[in-house]
Amino acid sequence: MPEHTVKAFDEDITHLRGLIAEMGGLSELAIQESLDAMVRGDETLAAEVVKRDRKIDELHTEVDKLAVRVIALRAPMADDLREVVAALKIAGVVERIGDYSKNIAKRVGKIEGRDRFEPLTLLPAMGDLAAEMVHDVLSAYAARDPLLAKEVIAADDKVDAFYNSIFRNVVSYMVENPATISSAAQLLFVARNLERIGDHATNVAEMVHFAATGTYPPDEDD
Amino acid sequence: MSELIEHSRTPLLLTERKRVSVANNAAREILGEHMLGQDVRVAFRHPDAVALLDQSSSGTATVRGLVRRLDIWQINYKRLDANLGVIELVNQTAEADISRAHTDFVANASHELRTPLASVIGYIETLSDEDADYTPETRGRFFATVLSEARRLQSLISDLMSLSQVEAEKHDRPTGVIRLKELVEGASIDAAGPDRQHRLLIECHEDSTIVGEARQIEQVIRNLVDNALKYSGINETVVVSLDRAPSGDARLRVTDYGEGIAPEHIPHLTRRFYRTDPGRSRASGGTGLGLAIVKHIVERHKGRLDIDSEVGKGTVFTVRFPASEKAVDDVS
């Protein structure tokens, strides 16, 4: 981006982007660790994920304040305004992604008899896809790369397909093993959370595209 | 100053008041040009890295997912004065990957190897029982089973070998330049063999040049074509086509008109030993590794594998490779 006459504005934007990157890093780690905790049954790790979510919330508040102050003080125009508005929205969505991970972590202790619980093996692959989308969309934000953002949007179909697949698998597992229904129901929520994370990554991707080009990406089938 | 570090193979960055002020060529290559002048957190967003770069002393952190998700880098941070800092990056992905791949391999493979081995042992014990009196037909049937199980073991081992080979080379970018058309035609016919050749329809409209390893690309084509022939009706046609995707990438498609794959299986197809129908797959001699190998090879070549299927209609496997102008660019 070209430099601005008001140097303080550059400082503010850089700081804003730094804060969002930091939030993104935290939420990325939260997805990974909540899944690891879920698969291994590691409640200590899960508790850490829950605890660390507070940091994401704090950063979110900080982004909000800074963005509003920039708008109030500097009245940015055109791409500068887009940048700030996108930052404001993206921070909100990234915060939600953190919440979904926290929710997954909270369910770790509620799975019983995990050694014999086959549906658990279905989750990591879906988690990998969702986490990859979040990773890519944050990289797209850092690089202001609309093409990578589009790729993230395209990947959401795969996460949805996974969700449907896991849903069916878990439901048929419940039918065959009624004793595990309460644990299996928890897994459905975990899968649902991952699916929502994918949707939110898509939302961020659309905003990255918007901030970079001024238009929302068209719906297209390649 | 920046000239001094520009050509180092080790990614190096200078930070000035928590902004990236200089990044050498190696660092720009992995982190992208865009992080110059940005807050260091834009380049290093992992919480451990943020904490390291925020502290008032030098230190080291090992983080996951710096460039690509799940890669592992060691970040060495040296604080020079109140404003200036130096960051050095060391890639440790390969080492970590090797040990993980090793554990996975042993866990998966031992189960799959044990099954055929158990039936070989069982039948041979039965056959060597001196008191039993089997008719020649029964003995013949037993021997046939032993032979087919032994063959299965053999193909399983050769698939496992190529999978571990592919995984070992995952981090080395291929360097050869290959023309796809000839390769696609040759490997498809090869995979079909004389008995099934008449079912193949090869449509290579446009040749493409890609950066890759001929031996591995050949294996991708062989596995896909063999699968398509194996899992569709005995007289169904399989179409192999090569053209260019709108993005300019080389696009290889293998289409069959078999019974299709139910949507719930599609996301899992490239997992090792995943089978939609274990009985049928074993009967047709599948090892459960073919698509896992395809996926690894495609990833190594920076390509993409997509699977589209409709139950009752058939399946299309699409592999895209970046065309060579782009790929060459990437390498340099």
Side-chain angles (χ1 to χ4, degrees):
Chain A
M1 261 197 178
E3 262 189 39
H4 293 85
T5 324
V6 183
K7 211 143 182 238
F9 181 74
D10 272 332
E11 290 279 328
D12 285 346
I13 293 280
T14 309
H15 189 54
L16 201 55
R17 291 178 67 81
L19 285 172
I20 288 184
E22 188 177 351
M23 282 183 80
L26 282 163
S27 65
E28 229 181 294
L29 188 68
I31 302 174
Q32 192 64 50
E33 291 195 340
S34 65
L35 275 170
D36 286 352
M38 177 57 79
V39 173
R40 294 203 304 257
D42 187 340
E43 293 188 42
T44 331
L45 185 60
E48 253 171 64
V49 174
V50 174
K51 206 173 117 207
R52 216 181 317 105
D53 190 58
R54 208 172 304 151
K55 177 76 181 152
I56 302 184
D57 294 347
E58 283 168 22
L59 285 166
H60 180 210
T61 319
E62 207 177 322
V63 169
D64 265 7
K65 277 190 198 153
L66 181 58
V68 169
R69 207 189 64 188
V70 169
I71 294 175
L73 288 183
R74 322 243 178 248
M77 307 270 278
D79 55 342
D80 295 334
L81 181 59
R82 282 209 305 274
E83 176 83 44
V84 181
V85 170
L88 201 59
K89 286 180 162 179
I90 289 172
V93 180
V94 171
E95 192 265 332
R96 292 293 298 148
I97 293 178
D99 286 346
Y100 284 120
S101 313
K102 181 172 79 174
N103 190 279
I104 294 175
K106 280 184 175 169
R107 295 176 192 278
V108 169
K110 295 181 180 162
I111 308 280
E112 291 158 1
R114 60 178 60 249
D115 297 342
R116 287 164 284 108
F117 198 38
E118 287 163 39
L120 215 44
T121 57
L122 297 169
L123 283 179
M126 180 180 183
D128 276 348
L129 262 183
E132 181 125 9
M133 284 176 74
V134 174
H135 177 87
D136 285 351
V137 83
L138 290 168
S139 301
Y141 175 71
R144 296 187 166 95
D145 180 350
L147 290 178
L148 184 56
K150 273 193 184 171
E151 270 177 41
V152 172
I153 295 169
D156 194 41
D157 283 349
K158 286 189 190 167
V159 175
D160 291 347
F162 247 113
Y163 176 62
N164 293 332
S165 155
I166 289 180
F167 190 88
R168 277 181 241 186
N169 268 305
V170 174
V171 168
S172 59
Y173 190 84
M174 281 171 160
V175 174
E176 288 158 20
N177 309 277
T180 63
I181 281 185
S182 73
S183 299
Q186 296 292 340
L187 279 199
L188 285 182
F189 282 112
V190 173
R192 174 78 188 154
N193 285 337
L194 290 174
E195 193 264 339
R196 295 298 299 151
I197 288 174
D199 287 349
H200 279 307
T202 309
N203 286 342
V204 176
E206 284 168 2
M207 289 178 247
V208 168
H209 193 279
F210 173 74
T213 64
T215 58
Y216 284 101
D219 292 326
E220 62 175 350
D221 301 307
D222 181 16
Chain B
M1 176 69 183
S2 55
E3 274 297 301
L4 280 176
I5 59 169
E6 175 66 16
H7 301 291
S8 165
R9 290 281 189 91
T10 311
L12 292 167
L13 300 98
L14 287 183
T15 60
E16 208 174 333
R17 291 192 303 124
K18 305 218 183 301
R19 282 202 197 196
V20 179
S21 55
V22 178
N24 72 351
N25 187 36
R28 291 198 306 273
E29 206 161 274
I30 60 165
L31 296 168
E33 302 270 351
H34 62 266
M35 46 83 200
L36 277 170
Q38 293 283 333
D39 192 302
V40 280
R41 287 174 293 186
V42 171
F44 304 97
R45 60 174 177 260
H46 192 285
D48 292 348
V50 171
L52 170 74
L53 301 175
D54 210 34
Q55 68 189 26
S56 52
S57 56
S58 306
T60 295
T62 304
V63 303
R64 223 171 160 200
L66 182 65
V67 186
R68 306 178 134 236
R69 209 178 76 83
L70 300 185
D71 59 4
I72 295 170
W73 289 81
Q74 189 186 342
I75 304 176
N76 297 323
Y77 176 56
K78 174 82 186 145
R79 206 175 130 98
L80 300 176
D81 64 26
N83 289 331
L84 290 174
V86 185
I87 300 171
E88 178 200 46
L89 302 172
V90 185
N91 192 348
Q92 296 185 327
T93 317
E95 288 87 348
D97 255 15
I98 287 167
S99 64
R100 198 176 50 91
H102 188 75
T103 341
D104 283 5
F105 172 83
V106 173
N108 284 335
S110 56
H111 172 73
E112 292 290 325
L113 291 170
R114 209 179 288 143
T115 324
L117 206 51
S119 70
V120 168
I121 293 171
Y123 278 105
I124 291 184
E125 269 175 3
T126 316
L127 282 164
S128 57
D129 182 356
E130 285 174 11
D131 301 336
D133 183 22
Y134 297 114
T135 61
E137 291 91 75
T138 318
R139 293 171 66 89
R141 219 176 51 233
F142 285 3
F143 275 124
T145 315
V146 170
L147 185 64
S148 80
E149 289 295 316
R151 287 232 167 91
R152 207 159 81 75
L153 270 175
Q154 194 179 29
S155 59
L156 193 56
I157 289 169
S158 75
D159 272 4
L160 281 170
M161 293 300 288
S162 47
L163 185 62
S164 73
Q165 174 90 33
V166 174
E167 283 189 348
E169 292 169 344
K170 197 164 68 180
H171 300 286
D172 309 334
R173 295 287 296 278
T175 48
V177 174
I178 45 181
R179 300 184 70 82
L180 275 179
K181 187 171 183 228
E182 222 174 288
L183 202 70
V184 168
E185 289 169 348
S188 309
I189 290 170
D190 203 29
D195 300 343
R196 302 186 293 184
Q197 243 173 56
H198 63 281
R199 290 170 53 198
L200 271 187
L201 185 63
I202 302 176
E203 295 174 338
C204 291
H205 298 301
E206 247 177 300
D207 198 359
S208 284
T209 313
I210 65 167
V211 171
E213 201 177 312
R215 184 177 53 84
Q216 291 195 332
I217 302 294
E218 228 173 61
Q219 189 166 21
V220 166
I221 300 162
R222 270 207 310 269
N223 286 2
L224 290 178
V225 171
D226 184 51
N227 274 352
L229 289 165
K230 211 155 58 185
Y231 295 122
S232 58
I234 196 124
N235 285 317
E236 296 288 355
T237 307
V238 165
V239 184
V240 180
S241 72
L242 176 71
D243 61 2
R244 270 169 201 260
S247 56
D249 293 350
R251 178 166 64 181
L252 168 74
R253 275 184 294 193
V254 178
T255 310
D256 70 57
Y257 301 98
E259 53 194 84
I261 305 162
E264 66 259 34
H265 291 304
I266 289 179
H268 305 288
L269 286 179
T270 54
R271 271 167 58 182
R272 289 181 228 191
F273 301 120
Y274 184 84
R275 291 184 173 92
T276 54
D277 178 352
R280 186 191 59 170
S281 164
R282 293 229 168 84
S284 57
T287 59
L289 290 172
L291 283 178
I293 294 173
V294 167
K295 180 183 160 227
H296 277 289
I297 295 177
V298 170
E299 275 177 4
R300 182 181 173 218
H301 287 80
K302 301 249 179 275
R304 256 178 68 180
L305 170 69
D306 287 303
I307 306 168
D308 293 300
S309 185
E310 207 173 318
V311 174
K313 292 207 170 146
T315 309
V316 189
F317 283 85
T318 310
V319 180
R320 265 175 264 200
F321 293 110
S324 105
E325 303 83 60
K326 237 163 98 188
V328 166
D329 225 80
D330 251 28
V331 168
S332 60

